[in-house]
Amino acid sequence: MASPAGRTRSVRARDARWRGALAVLDELRRHPGVTRADVARRLTLSTGSATEITARLRELALLSETPAAATGRGRPTTVLNPHPDGPVVIAVDLRQEDWRCAVAEIDGRPRVSEEGRHGSRHPARVVAAVGEAVRRVHDRLGGRVRAVAVAVAATVRHGGVVQSATLGWGAVDLGGLAPAPGLPLLVGNDATLAGAAEARYGAAVGTGTALHVTIEVGVGGTLVVDGLPIEGATGAGGEFGHLPLGDPELRCPCGALGCWDLAVDGRAIARHLGEPPPRDPRSYAQAALARAEEDPAVRSAVGRTASGFGRGIAGLINALDPGIVTLGGFAEPLRAAAPEEFAEALTDGLMRFRRADPPPVVAATLGDDGALHGAAALALDRVLTEEGLDAWAADHTG
């Protein structure tokens, strides 16, 4: 058995062994299609060091290189890409009405492999259907799959689903989505993961503190600080839709009274129109926006809903002090459909000192793929570590 000092030296040696490689791989994740010359410049590496590190990554089937387009005089460089036989992760987006299963290489870009609608909302049937798709992908790619990450429209605590008002679930075990024993299975709230992705790859890149808010069925989101979502003590943070910003007489499916969820999605529009709650609030809301210009009653209902949304965004800005607010899902179309109502409610809800210089409120750029990007990032964060590269190198060279 090694002494404590010996174990410390071993860890330091391993860290030094992979430090440059991980930095290069991180650049590829941040800037897909980056050239070796750009990586060397950003990391202040000599040409020799950059060449040595990328050669090693090629040998381990982590990177491939292709000639870059000539841009003038000087030594030609190469474009860095994921190796065609390199590690991948599986990213799953489990939503209210449907699911998608995607594969991402080490550049972090998910590519949808399979998708489908829920034939049943029963948790066991949903998990079985999605699990079969994940296993098919794993069977095709084998040992290249290093982790599976699931973005789910649910409250996630300690890495597991404890409740989903959206899906009508209580606590659900997603262990059936793991395609092989020992393969890491990571679970995150879909809005939280989408917000993390916007901070890393989307509209909030370069902003130290970013607030992401999305509307699907209800409201979700997260506060991201330096690229990491603030998830709270147990991982269940960011449940903005369950702040008591709505009608205190209305009981939410989550069990609480007055949830903001009920004031900002298709259920709110239907209620303002005197119609029953829709089975699919998101589709209902989209149809309402399409009718709003021609139907004054629908336009008024949309405006009241946008006003409730703007008022809540003001409260979150007051409480969390973000440098930018990104809007995902139905949130941006709702704002765009009633911009005056949203803006008035937002301004009126801000503390006086914030009104002259509020944070920008912008559309998320990753769109419906935000949660998939976030799930892929969550899995790659687990894979692209010293331990993860040790395991890959052992499998690849063994």
Side-chain angles (χ1 to χ4, degrees):
M1 181 180 294
S3 68
R7 287 196 297 271
T8 299
R9 286 194 295 272
S10 175
V11 170
R12 287 175 177 168
R14 183 194 67 195
D15 289 351
R17 176 189 179 202
W18 291 121
R19 190 175 297 124
L22 287 170
V24 170
L25 294 174
D26 186 60
E27 285 296 315
L28 177 58
R29 291 177 67 184
R30 293 175 181 274
H31 310 283
V34 69
T35 66
R36 189 203 301 170
D38 284 340
V39 167
R41 185 177 66 255
R42 291 191 180 109
L43 299 178
T44 64
L45 294 173
S46 68
T47 300
S49 293
T51 301
E52 180 182 352
I53 292 170
T54 53
R56 185 166 170 235
L57 292 172
R58 286 200 313 273
E59 291 173 3
L60 289 173
L62 288 163
L63 283 184
S64 65
E65 295 186 79
T66 56
T71 57
R73 297 182 179 180
R75 183 176 299 177
T77 187
T78 59
V79 175
L80 306 184
N81 297 293
H83 195 283
D85 297 321
V88 299
V89 298
I90 298 175
V92 175
D93 185 10
L94 207 167
R95 304 186 289 192
Q96 183 212 14
E97 295 289 333
D98 60 5
W99 56 268
R100 294 186 295 166
C101 178
V103 175
E105 298 177 305
I106 59 174
D107 62 358
R109 291 184 286 187
R111 296 168 176 83
V112 175
S113 176
E114 296 195 35
E115 56 189 321
R117 294 185 67 81
H118 302 318
S120 165
R121 290 283 188 85
H122 191 281
R125 294 179 183 175
V126 173
V127 172
V130 179
E132 288 176 6
V134 172
R135 280 187 286 278
R136 285 191 292 269
V137 174
H138 182 263
D139 290 346
R140 175 165 54 87
L141 297 173
R144 292 182 61 197
V145 179
R146 311 306 286 186
V148 178
V150 183
V152 58
T155 302
V156 175
R157 191 177 186 213
H158 299 307
V161 171
V162 294
Q163 177 174 302
S164 174
T166 296
L167 289 161
W169 292 357
V172 174
D173 181 6
L174 297 183
L177 299 183
L183 194 68
L185 175 65
L186 311 170
V187 180
N189 172 268
D190 56 349
T192 298
L193 292 178
E198 286 296 331
R200 294 190 185 194
Y201 315 120
V205 168
T207 304
T209 302
L211 172 65
H212 180 69
V213 181
T214 185
I215 301 175
E216 295 293 341
V217 178
V219 188
T222 188
L223 184 72
V224 183
V225 179
D226 296 332
L228 296 175
I230 305 302
E231 298 178 321
T234 66
E239 292 289 348
F240 300 147
H242 301 288
L243 291 169
L245 299 173
D247 185 341
E249 299 298 319
L250 295 177
R251 176 78 65 180
C252 177
C254 80
L257 284 170
C259 287
W260 193 28
D261 266 4
L262 302 179
V264 296
D265 66 8
R267 291 170 292 186
I269 297 174
R271 191 167 59 253
H272 294 321
L273 289 171
E275 297 181 358
R279 182 181 181 278
D280 181 355
R282 194 177 196 279
S283 296
Y284 179 94
Q286 290 172 330
L289 294 194
R291 295 160 45 204
E293 289 189 9
E294 299 178 357
D295 189 326
V298 176
R299 176 67 181 77
S300 175
V302 169
R304 292 175 66 185
T305 304
S307 180
F309 182 50
R311 186 164 52 252
I313 293 293
L316 290 174
I317 291 172
N318 290 339
L320 301 174
D321 192 29
I324 191 171
V325 180
T326 57
L327 302 181
F330 175 65
E332 175 57 23
L334 175 62
R335 177 178 74 153
E340 294 179 1
E341 290 91 334
F342 176 89
E344 182 178 0
L346 174 65
T347 300
D348 288 346
L350 289 175
M351 300 167 69
R352 187 179 299 110
F353 83 93
R354 295 186 184 278
R355 294 176 186 171
D357 186 27
V361 180
V362 303
T365 58
L366 298 176
D368 284 344
D369 292 334
L372 276 180
H373 278 274
L378 177 67
L380 287 170
D381 285 349
R382 177 73 171 265
V383 171
L384 298 181
T385 62
E386 291 88 355
E387 294 83 0
L389 292 188
D390 274 340
W392 174 260
D395 290 348
H396 185 73
T397 58

